[in-house]
Amino acid sequence: AVVVSLPRDSEVPVLQCAADGLGDPGQPDEPGQTEMLNAAFAYGGPPCLWRTVEQETGIRVEHYIGLTFTGFEKVINDLGGVNVCLPEAIKDPKSGIDLSAGLHHVLGGQALAFWRERYVGEGSDLQRIQRQQYLMAGLMQEVKTGGLLTDYPKMYSVLTDAARALTTDQGLGVSDMLSLAEDLRGLTESSIQFVTVPNVADPTDQDRVLWQQPEAN
């Protein structure tokens, strides 16, 4: 399994997207103009993000799952928390993280703060992606060692509860999520790879990144 992270600051074409019915107004097609990837989501919601990612990557996206901050905390708590190890203490009121140096087993609130934390190191979104991948790898360890994938009643209960905190496309139900979880059962931790689209800073705007070619392809 390969988990691909797309930087939110990636420059992408401005595609025409209709209002999504969730409060996002949509946007007109603007040939030759670009926007950040998270702007596609902000203006056109999940459908616009979906369309943009498919066009820019050439990868067919079969389903969409969205997590609010509250939903993220709920899923982490349902999974029993996750281990994080900090080389130094971090206290940041912007994200809410307040942890000493060393190993911690964190539940939803502090896991979310770790996930959101930006103002450490270089303070870049790319470093935040690295921490998010680290947290996802830790979650996979928790799922594997906790026996969730071999305990069908527990897995069904967790997924049913988690589904209430998710926004999904209409074609994705709990049974589909169960099928995906069963596929994950045969994976070892070493067979899951986390990658970020190769990128470089936009020479005209240091707050944006361009996908580096030909590596990104």
Side-chain angles (χ1 to χ4, degrees):
V2 180
V3 181
V4 183
S5 295
L6 310 179
R8 69 169 197 168
D9 297 332
S10 300
E11 276 195 59
V12 295
V14 180
L15 304 181
Q16 188 276 328
C17 297
D20 64 356
L22 301 173
D24 300 300
Q27 63 183 16
D29 185 32
E30 297 184 21
Q33 299 300 307
T34 62
E35 63 185 356
M36 290 194 293
L37 185 60
N38 64 338
F41 180 77
Y43 290 122
C48 197
L49 179 64
W50 189 328
R51 181 185 177 199
T52 302
V53 169
E54 281 198 330
Q55 174 172 304
E56 290 305 289
T57 64
I59 298 171
R60 178 171 177 259
V61 178
E62 295 188 6
H63 293 293
Y64 169 86
I65 296 176
L67 264 181
T68 63
F69 289 157
T70 301
F72 181 93
E73 290 188 31
K74 187 173 185 61
V75 169
I76 296 292
N77 287 336
D78 282 344
L79 292 174
V82 60
N83 288 330
V84 297
C85 191
L86 302 179
E88 58 187 38
I90 301 178
K91 184 176 182 178
D92 181 4
K94 289 187 175 69
S95 70
I97 194 169
D98 185 5
L99 295 172
S100 60
L103 180 66
H104 298 270
H105 188 81
V106 296
L107 293 172
Q110 284 298 288
L112 176 63
F114 182 89
W115 183 268
R116 297 181 63 195
E117 175 58 43
R118 182 167 185 169
Y119 299 98
V120 296
E122 297 174 0
S124 72
D125 188 54
L126 297 176
Q127 282 194 334
R128 177 162 55 183
I129 286 174
Q130 291 178 339
R131 287 191 292 275
Q132 291 172 346
Q133 291 173 342
Y134 167 81
L135 190 70
M136 284 190 287
L139 277 176
M140 286 304 304
Q141 291 178 339
E142 293 291 334
V143 168
K144 298 289 283 188
T145 58
L148 177 64
L149 297 179
T150 57
D151 186 340
Y152 191 86
K154 181 180 179 182
M155 181 169 62
Y156 184 82
S157 175
V158 167
L159 287 176
T160 301
D161 191 45
R164 299 189 185 101
L166 302 174
T167 301
T168 70
D169 62 275
Q170 292 183 348
L172 183 67
V174 173
S175 60
D176 301 295
M177 295 169 67
L178 275 171
S179 178
L180 178 60
E182 288 168 352
D183 289 341
L184 292 174
R185 182 180 297 163
L187 289 176
T188 62
E189 293 169 19
S190 61
S191 64
I192 302 174
Q193 182 181 8
F194 295 89
V195 298
T196 302
V197 173
N199 61 84
V200 293
D202 182 345
T204 66
D205 187 344
Q206 292 299 303
D207 290 330
R208 298 189 177 190
V209 299
L210 304 173
W211 292 359
Q212 187 175 20
Q213 298 297 353
E215 294 84 353
N217 282 342

